[in-house]
Amino acid sequence: NTAEAQFKAPRSKLEVNSSRVDSQPVYSKDGRSLLFLSDRNGELQLWLEKADGVVSIESFPDNTKIDSYAWHPDGIQAVVATSDKLVYLLNTQTQTVDLIKLKGQSAAFPMFSFDGEDMYFTSDKSGDWQIWGFNFIDKNIKQITQKGGYQVETDHADGNLYFTKYRQQGIWQLDINTQLETRVVANISRNANFKVCLNSLYYLVETDDIALWQMNLKTAEAQQIMNLALNSKFKFDLIDDCQKLIFSKWENIESDIIMLKL
């Protein structure tokens, strides 16, 4: 069953604004810290916004190009993946970074487990892209999926993993305990922007335009939340128990970060 949600423009406001590109917003779980990409210093860098101001993170090696990042549950640390398939652990209090040693294997799209003891990521070490896990305590690395895995999100409510695949369309659910794998959404590309929040899956669908959808993972009911022009780049995150949508809307050469109450 699908139903289109009613959407009211006055609910949105600019959250981060500059004359340059500001994009790819990701909030810490407590909603107090925001990581985003910006070229306001002349090149695309990772920036941190907190109550006491906005600063660029200068501690990465020179010429580092950042692809994706995710917060640790403590709201202090974050994992950051780069275009050369390395992953760093960032401490936002000290603004220091340490390379996470993954025994030489490539890694992308890192994501913390609910307790922060493990990091999930994608790697092609086995010959195809699969989801892997790295434990920060014993430094053990293990392969999680066997049938393909690319971008990954965790569901803090039920402990499942949700992910796309490199060679098949859709968003998939994996029960880590039973290894049961189920496709929950079809016709979604491997690079699709999606999030899991309080038993709901939020994802983008591109047809004649770009639409943001929400699916209840218990009932499989879905509703369309908003539409955007097809030529826009859209990256989003959710905070405050899924009550607020934070997103960057990149059109032409301009991009701002916007907060919207759902």
Side-chain angles (χ1 to χ4, degrees), residues 35 46 56-62 64 66 69 76-82 86-101:
L35 287 171
L46 188 63
S56 60
I57 307 296
E58 305 285 350
S59 45
F60 289 98
D62 291 342
T64 295
I66 293 171
Y69 34 91
I76 297 173
Q77 302 176 93
V79 281
V80 181
T82 63
L86 299 175
V87 179
Y88 292 86
L89 185 64
L90 165 66
N91 185 311
T92 61
Q93 285 187 343
T94 60
Q95 293 198 30
T96 55
V97 298
D98 293 297
L99 178 66
I100 298 176
K101 297 179 180 179

Side-chain angles (χ1 to χ4, degrees), residues 23 45 56 67 111 156 159:
S23 67
Q45 292 177 293
S56 60
D67 279 347
M111 179 66 56
H156 296 170

